[in-house]
Amino acid sequence: MLFENGKLKIEYIEECIDNDVNRNLVFAINIKDFDTPTLNIVYDAKEDIIVKTYIDEQFENIPKSHVVYKMFSLIEYEVIEIIRFMIEHM
């Protein structure tokens, strides 16, 4: 599943089930206006929280990798709303 607008591209990657209780979904977030690596987030649908944010290892040490975390902190609420919408329509 994919969501895309003028500034964001959010793609559902996979579901990770650790046990019967946890239902974690992995999404890739691409902030279009900035040349930053894709940020991956693990979202706990049951608890309605972001469990983890990370960048793929191959992009961890490039100069702009730290910028994507700061950018994400500014749009985190909007991203969570979009993810909730995507989950409802899966």
Side-chain angles (χ1 to χ4, degrees):
M1 178 171 261
L2 177 70
F3 172 87
E4 190 167 0
N5 66 14
K7 60 183 176 178
L8 288 173
K9 180 178 177 184
I10 302 174
E11 184 176 3
Y12 168 73
I13 304 296
E14 66 182 341
E15 181 173 1
C16 302
I17 301 174
D18 296 333
N19 53 41
D20 292 336
V21 179
N22 292 338
R23 180 175 177 228
N24 294 333
L25 307 169
V26 180
F27 292 88
I29 313 296
N30 184 355
I31 302 171
K32 292 181 176 182
D33 292 342
F34 298 92
D35 184 26
T36 57
T38 299
L39 181 69
N40 298 305
I41 64 168
V42 179
Y43 179 78
D44 185 334
K46 184 175 177 145
E47 297 293 325
D48 193 31
I49 60 169
I50 294 175
V51 178
K52 177 181 174 182
T53 59
Y54 64 96
I55 298 172
D56 288 332
E57 289 179 10
Q58 64 196 28
F59 300 111
E60 272 184 351
N61 294 321
I62 65 171
K64 295 181 182 180
S65 64
H66 70 284
V67 175
V68 73
Y69 289 107
K70 185 62 175 176
M71 296 297 298
F72 179 72
S73 70
L74 300 173
I75 60 169
E76 184 174 355
Y77 179 77
E78 180 181 354
V79 169
I80 290 174
E81 289 295 315
I82 294 167
I83 288 173
R84 287 178 188 149
F85 177 81
M86 291 174 73
I87 292 170
E88 289 176 10
H89 294 89
M90 286 180 147

